[in-house]
Amino acid sequence: MNCFKRNKIHSISYKDINIIECNNCNKCYRFDNIQEIILCNNCDKYYCCGILGECIGKKCKYLINDIYISGRYCMNCAVLNENGECVCKDCLN
Ligand SMILES: [Zn+2]
Ligand SMILES: [Zn+2]
Ligand SMILES: [Zn+2]
């Protein structure tokens, strides 16, 4: 009985560090399912929704394995320009 209890506690605390929460809808995801989650390039918070898009600014383009990747930003860290494109607050200035 004691042994079972200890194992249970251990598995709960193990689970906790492997769960990330969407900062917008507060839905929880397992860390091994991280493809569904987008990390905002500015505030470093996780989102499954509430991401505005990829910043079109030159500062936010990164060359990774010969492919250009743009930083993605949440609604708090970026705005839409007059063409409906996502621009982060850094590239706006
Ligand atoms: Zn953000
Ligand atoms: Zn969400
Ligand atoms: Zn940007």
Side-chain angles (χ1 to χ4, degrees):
M1 190 62 191
N2 269 342
C3 180
F4 173 74
K5 217 173 174 182
R6 216 177 318 152
N7 279 340
K8 203 176 168 190
I9 288 164
H10 176 78
S11 77
I12 286 169
S13 59
Y14 171 78
K15 246 183 173 177
D16 280 347
I17 56 159
N18 283 288
I19 285 189
I20 48 178
E21 195 179 319
C22 170
N23 199 55
N24 188 49
C25 67
N26 298 327
K27 213 168 139 183
C28 290
Y29 289 86
R30 285 175 56 92
F31 207 75
D32 53 16
N33 237 347
I34 199 162
Q35 304 94 289
E36 295 181 47
I37 309 275
I38 292 159
L39 179 67
C40 173
N41 210 27
N42 182 60
C43 61
D44 282 338
K45 285 175 184 152
Y46 290 101
Y47 294 89
C48 73
C49 55
I51 283 282
L52 199 65
E54 291 182 357
C55 175
I56 56 152
K58 286 195 180 78
K59 275 193 251 174
C60 290
K61 289 213 189 303
Y62 309 97
L63 190 61
I64 299 169
N65 296 330
D66 290 334
I67 299 164
Y68 277 104
I69 311 267
S70 297
R72 287 190 273 193
Y73 293 88
C74 71
M75 292 185 293
N76 301 321
C77 300
V79 292
L80 292 177
N81 67 11
E82 58 272 21
N83 301 318
E85 296 160 323
C86 172
V87 189
C88 78
K89 287 176 182 171
D90 250 10
C91 293
L92 207 58
N93 301 320

